[in-house]
Structure formats: structure tokens, C-alpha cells
């Protein structure tokens, strides 16, 4: 029978790789803590309607990429393609938003039915932050600075560049969309089907097109910047000033619109050259209208999400993951003779209680001394504790053997094994 395989675009992360992931997770958690953000967890599955109403009906994500299905009650549900919608739903449902300020972060898997390739998967991991209830550019600057702090901690600050843009208020975009639609209709012959279809329903999405012919046709299209209101321009220039003061470099990118409909005013992306085509590592911006759009009281907001796979790929290819993040086994306990199983579990229990920081594997499954020692060497442990019965008498001594350095083996009484271990491993209690 053919073996079952994982679903295309959904990765297994094996024990060799998980330390890299843990390293990135630890760094992210340290940064959000430093900025006073608190974790929120929300379900992977939500009503499909939630994503349609937030991300937008006429977006790549909702039109082509969602995993949606009817459950046994006939409710239409979707695996979350991103975190903001669920975060807003959860925070609002539990009364965390109205008249309050919240700084929240989340992490977890997201699902999009895209064409799998390097850096683009169908299940992928995101970290995100969402800040609610703060209207000024200071919070925009904060979330951007927070992401910059992470690059610093990961040693990536020279490999990522920040692009920002001002996409105006929802009102501004409505006026711009009308002008853009008129332009697209006039140039309909030069567009592809996708772009033609969106000319009316979501003309700004056409700007995002990856088709070079469409991009060519867009030359001479009205520019959003000419439709952005003064209020938005002031907000944006204050943000730029704050970023400059805090030393976060940026480039302005008038074409940056982002793939989700809920953004307004400032949007940003961090991109890199070191990943090939999938160069966007993090994207975010303000989304002042979203909470109200989802039925909550008006609550302004800003946030970002970053793709962890792309970060891990980057760190790996740049050699930026410290060696020491791999999990260490310190001690491998070799147990020769079935009658010693009881002594072995008891000694192991005492050692784990006394030294909660060390990693200790107890050999299970019996076998010859030489075979067990082979496993001990392969485990990467520094020391082996050997329990071997010389007679039918209760065990009195154990041997401690060095597996990596060339220290001499020592025999110690079982009662002194912990002291000896502390001495060799240099553990101060
Ligand atoms: P892209 O332009 O690369 O498709 P996006 O604009 O769709 O990205 P967002 O929805 O803004 O991406 O998600 C934020 C981040 O999540 C991206 O910058 C990227 O790092 C990551 N990401 C998005 N889609 C995927 C995917 N299919 N596989 C892996 N990472 C992804
Ligand atoms: Mg995408």
C-alpha cells in the first residue's frame, strides 16, 4: 500500500530543525515583552464570513486561497489565512477593545491554498502584533520599531529594508478607486482577465498584479498620492519624523498597497534580497475601520504579521542561528541487567529533581553494554552513568564515563553520584 504523505505545501518540522524555530520564537517573545505586549490565542477555525468581511471579498486570499468547508452542522468555516481578523473578533467579543488601549501579540499557523514554492507554503507560521485604541503615528512608529528590534536581536538588521507608504483614509481611497476604475476601463484591452474583472470590484488590487503586461499598462495610471487628504499626509509625515528620530531607516514606496483591504494611512513591509522571489518577511499598517466593520464600536488599530518560515530560511542561509540553540543532552544512563531497572529509575528521578536544568536520558529496552554505550555516544551526551550489576547484591556503585572529553572514568557510590555529577558538569546549586 502506498504510504500516506503530508499535504503539499504543509511542512513537517523535524527535531533537527525545531531548535531554529525555538530560537526565533524566543527572540520574538523577548522583544514583545520588552514593549509590553501581551499574548492572545484564538482559534484556527472561524466563520468564513469573518475573513470575507475583514480581508475583503475581492482579494486573492478570499477569492482563491482559503480552506473553506461546511462542517457537520452546515456552518461554513475557514482555516484562518491570517491573524488580524481572529484577533479583532476575539478581543471585541470579550470586551477588550471599546474605550481601551491594548497591545497584543499572537503566533501560530495560518493556511492559504497557494502554489507551494520556497518561502511560500499552504500552512505557514506567523508572528503578529496588534495595538488597539491609539490613533496617533506614535503607535505606528512603535510597532515598526518593535519589528526593527527583532531584526537587531536576530542579527538581520543589515539584510532587511523597510518600505512604507501612505494609502490614505477609506474616504480618500474611495475617490481614488473611482479615478482608477475610469483609467482601467479605458485601458481594458491591455489588461489580463484578472485585472479586467477587478477594474470595478477592487481596482486597487490591479496595482498588485504580478503580470508585466498589466504593470506596463498601469504606467500613467492615476497615483494614489494625489488623492490622499491633508489629515493623512500630516499623520504620515509625523510617522516619518518619528522613525528618523529613532534611527529606523525607510524608503517610500508609492506602489505599496498590501493584499488586504482593511488597511489605511500608513502601510509597511520589510523585504530582503536574500530569499529570492519571496522577499517579504513582514507586513503591516493601520486598520482604523476594521473593528467597526466587524460589528464592534469604532476602535483604531495598527499591527503587523511576519512569516516565520521566511525568517528561519533567512537566518539559516546567512548562518545566523547560534550553535548553542540545539537541545543538549548532558547525561545518558546505561543500565546493564534487567534487575537494575528499579535502581535506574530511582537514581534518574533523584538526579532530575536535584538538577532540573540538565537533560538526562535513561536507556530503555535493555541490551548489551556495548550497544548501550553506542547509543550513549550518539546521543551527544557529555557523560554516561553506567549501572552494571556485578552480583545479585543491591547496587552500591555506579561508573561515570566521559563521552566527549577525555576525562577518566570514576566509580562512585550511588549516594554520591549527584555530588560527583555536579562537580564534573560544574553545576552550582
Ligand atoms: P506575499 O506578497 O509574499 O504573498 P502577503 O502580502 O500575502 O505576502 P501577508 O498576508 O501580509 O503576506 O502576511 C504577512 C507575512 O506572512 C508575509 O510577509 C510573509 O512573510 C508571510 N506569508 C504570507 N503568505 C505566506 C505563505 N503562503 N507561506 C509562507 N509565508 C507566508
Ligand atoms: Mg500572498
Amino acid at each position: 500500500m502506498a504510504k500516506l504523505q503530508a499535504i503539499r505545501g504543509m511542512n513537517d518540522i523535524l527535531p533537527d530543525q525545531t531548535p531554529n524555530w525555538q530560537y526565533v520564537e524566543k527572540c520574538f517573545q523577548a522583544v514583545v515583552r520588552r514593549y509590553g505586549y501581551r499574548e492572545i490565542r484564538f482559534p484556527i477555525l472561524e466563520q468564513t464570513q469573518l475573513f470575507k468581511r475583514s480581508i475583503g471579498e475581492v482579494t486573492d486570499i478570499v477569492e482563491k486561497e482559503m480552506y473553506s468547508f461546511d462542517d457537520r452542522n452546515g456552518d461554513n468555516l475557514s482555516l484562518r489565512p491570517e491573524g488580524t481578523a481572529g484577533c479583532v473578533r476575539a478581543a471585541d467579543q470579550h470586551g477588550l477593545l471599546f474605550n481601551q488601549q491594548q497591545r497584543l501579540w499572537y503566533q501560530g499557523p495560518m493556511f492559504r491554498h497557494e502554489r507551494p514554492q520556497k518561502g511560500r507554503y499552504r500552512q505557514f507560521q506567523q508572528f503578529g502584533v496588534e495595538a488597539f485604541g491609539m490613533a496617533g503615528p506614535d503607535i505606528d512608529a512603535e510597532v515598526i520599531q518593535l519589528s526593527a528590534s527583532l531584526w537587531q536581536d536576530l542579527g538581520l538588521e543589515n539584510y532587511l529594508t523597510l518600505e512604507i507608504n501612505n494609502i490614505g483614509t477609506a474616504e480618500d481611497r474611495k475617490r481614488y478607486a473611482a479615478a482608477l476604475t475610469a483609467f482601467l476601463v479605458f485601458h481594458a484591452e491591455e489588461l489580463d482577465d484578472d485585472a479586467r474583472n477587478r477594474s470595478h470590484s477592487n481596482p486597487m488590487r490591479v496595482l498588485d498584479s504580478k503580470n508585466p503586461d498589466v504593470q506596463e499598462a498601469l504606467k500613467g495610471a492615476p497615483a494614489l498620492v494625489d488623492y490622499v487628504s491633508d489629515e493623512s499626509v500630516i499623520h504620515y509625515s509625523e510617522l516619518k519624523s518619528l522613525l528618523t528620530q529613532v534611527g529606523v531607516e525607510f524608503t517610500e514606496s508609492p506602489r505599496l498597497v498590501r493584499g488586504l483591504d482593511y488597511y489605511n494611512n500608513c502601510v509597511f513591509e520589510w523585504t530582503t534580497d536574500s530569499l529570492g522571489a519571496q522577499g517579504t518577511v513582514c507586513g503591516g499598517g493601520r486598520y482604523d475601520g476594521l473593528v467597526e466593520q466587524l460589528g464592534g464600536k469604532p476602535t483604531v488599530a495598527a499591527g503587523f504579521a511576519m512569516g516565520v518560515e521566511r525568517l528561519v530560511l533567512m537566518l539559516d542561509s546567512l548562518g545566523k542561528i547560534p550553535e548553542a540553540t540545539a537541545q543538549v543532552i548532558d547525561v545518558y544512563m546505561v543500565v546493564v541487567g534487567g534487575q537494575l531497572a528499579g535502581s535506574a529509575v530511582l537514581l534518574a528521578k533523584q538526579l532530575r529533581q536535584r538538577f532540573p536544568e540538565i537533560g538526562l536520558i535513561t536507556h530503555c529496552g535493555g541490551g548489551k553494554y556495548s550497544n548501550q554505550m553506542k547509543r550513549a555516544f550518539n546521543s551527544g551526551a557529555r557523560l554516561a552513568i553506567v549501572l552494571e550489576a556485578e552480583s545479585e547484591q543491591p547496587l552500591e556503585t555506579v561508573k561515570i564515563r566521559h563521552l566527549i572529553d577525555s576525562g577518566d572514568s570514576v566509580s562512585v557510590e550511588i549516594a554520591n553520584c549527584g555530588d560527583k555529577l555536579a562537580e564534573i558538569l560544574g553545576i552550582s546549586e
Side-chain angles (χ1 to χ4, degrees):
M1 207 187 337
K3 269 194 214 168
L4 295 174
Q5 302 272 324
I7 296 165
R8 216 162 90 78
M10 302 205 175
N11 298 316
D12 301 308
I13 303 171
L14 302 179
D16 269 355
Q17 298 152 354
T18 47
N20 298 354
W21 284 74
Q22 289 165 356
Y23 169 67
V24 181
E25 285 159 10
K26 214 176 70 202
C27 289
F28 179 75
Q29 287 173 19
V31 171
V32 286
R33 197 192 127 65
R34 230 180 286 147
Y35 281 78
Y37 285 63
R38 299 183 302 151
E39 185 182 9
I40 181 163
R41 301 185 186 197
F42 41 87
I44 285 169
L45 211 51
E46 299 269 3
Q47 306 279 352
T48 298
Q49 209 50 34
L50 174 68
F51 303 115
K52 287 194 174 170
R53 274 166 56 183
S54 53
I55 297 164
E57 296 260 6
V58 190
T59 55
D60 279 349
I61 294 180
V62 169
E63 281 185 338
K64 306 178 195 162
E65 298 174 359
M66 284 218 290
Y67 282 89
S68 305
F69 61 95
D70 290 333
D71 79 353
R72 289 169 197 274
N73 302 331
D75 293 328
N76 196 255
L77 308 181
S78 295
L79 288 170
R80 61 184 187 193
E82 56 100 56
T84 302
C87 181
V88 168
R89 199 269 313 133
D92 189 48
Q93 181 175 335
H94 299 285
L96 304 187
L97 297 184
F98 183 57
N99 262 343
Q100 296 167 73
Q101 296 189 341
Q102 293 287 353
R103 289 176 166 83
L104 306 175
W105 68 270
Y106 63 83
Q107 83 180 65
M110 307 295 162
F111 302 83
R112 296 184 193 176
H113 196 275
E114 301 197 68
R115 195 169 68 77
Q117 52 198 292
K118 185 182 168 205
R120 189 175 294 287
Y121 310 104
R122 289 180 173 174
Q123 174 172 338
F124 60 99
Q125 191 83 10
Q126 282 186 341
F127 291 137
V129 305
E130 314 290 0
F132 295 100
M134 291 159 272
D138 44 3
I139 190 66
D140 307 0
E142 179 181 292
V143 299
I144 292 174
Q145 201 196 342
L146 187 157
S147 55
S149 298
L150 180 66
W151 314 145
Q152 196 103 41
D153 286 9
L154 293 171
L156 294 179
E157 67 273 25
N158 295 328
Y159 301 91
L160 286 162
T161 50
L162 174 64
E163 291 174 31
I164 61 173
N165 190 24
N166 180 12
I167 61 169
T169 62
E171 250 336 285
D172 301 342
R173 278 208 309 290
K174 220 178 272 168
R175 289 189 300 123
Y176 173 62
L180 189 57
T181 297
F183 174 90
L184 294 171
V185 167
F186 191 74
H187 292 269
E189 306 257 288
E190 299 150 58
L191 305 176
D192 59 18
D193 285 345
D194 227 22
R196 251 190 308 274
N197 290 339
R198 290 175 172 190
S199 295
H200 288 279
S201 54
N202 196 347
M204 283 173 69
R205 282 274 73 78
V206 179
L207 301 178
D208 246 2
S209 168
K210 304 232 157 72
N211 181 344
D213 296 337
V214 174
Q215 284 301 335
E216 185 60 33
L218 283 171
K219 284 185 180 159
L224 178 55
V225 60
D226 297 327
Y227 291 78
V228 169
S229 56
D230 289 349
E231 165 206 355
S232 210
V233 169
I234 292 167
H235 182 106
Y236 186 59
S237 68
E238 283 174 7
L239 168 65
K240 287 189 287 186
S241 153
L242 284 170
L243 290 176
T244 306
Q245 284 176 61
V246 83
V248 176
E249 288 174 30
F250 56 84
T251 54
E252 292 183 65
S253 178
R255 275 290 169 86
L256 180 65
V257 289
R258 312 268 310 115
L260 303 88
D261 280 352
Y262 51 62
Y263 286 108
N264 67 283
N265 281 3
C266 140
V267 292
F268 65 91
E269 282 187 355
W270 287 96
T271 56
T272 180
D273 295 335
S274 53
L275 283 179
Q278 318 312 327
T280 308
V281 170
C282 173
R286 289 201 76 87
Y287 51 95
D288 294 325
L290 181 60
V291 177
E292 192 179 9
Q293 201 176 307
L294 289 176
K297 298 250 168 51
T299 306
V300 296
F304 67 66
M306 59 179 74
V308 190
E309 280 77 4
R310 293 184 193 177
L311 269 179
V312 171
L313 275 171
M314 232 185 127
L315 289 163
D316 220 8
S317 69
L318 294 167
K320 294 280 183 188
I321 298 180
E323 285 279 332
T325 56
Q327 190 185 338
V328 187
I329 300 297
D330 304 282
V331 179
Y332 193 101
M333 188 177 284
V334 167
V335 191
V336 189
Q339 77 278 27
L340 294 181
S343 312
V345 287
L346 189 60
L347 178 59
K349 177 182 168 187
Q350 290 163 350
L351 294 175
R352 289 192 185 109
Q353 263 168 356
R354 180 164 164 194
F355 308 114
E357 300 299 319
I358 74 166
L360 185 155
I361 288 178
T362 315
H363 181 86
C364 291
K368 286 196 302 199
Y369 171 80
S370 57
N371 287 343
Q372 292 194 33
M373 279 307 287
K374 218 177 275 167
R375 287 189 197 273
F377 278 109
N378 288 339
S379 75
R382 270 183 70 187
L383 300 173
I385 298 178
V386 181
L387 279 66
E388 191 166 18
E390 314 250 308
S391 63
E392 293 301 305
Q393 300 300 313
L395 190 70
E396 282 173 3
T397 61
V398 300
K399 209 176 270 170
I400 300 180
R401 287 196 52 181
H402 291 247
L403 301 174
I404 293 178
D405 54 66
S406 56
D408 293 329
S409 310
V410 284
S411 280
V412 286
E413 283 184 31
I414 252 191
N416 298 330
C417 181
D419 291 344
K420 194 71 193 168
L421 209 62
E423 183 192 320
I424 299 175
L425 291 175
I427 305 169
S428 52
E429 289 162 89

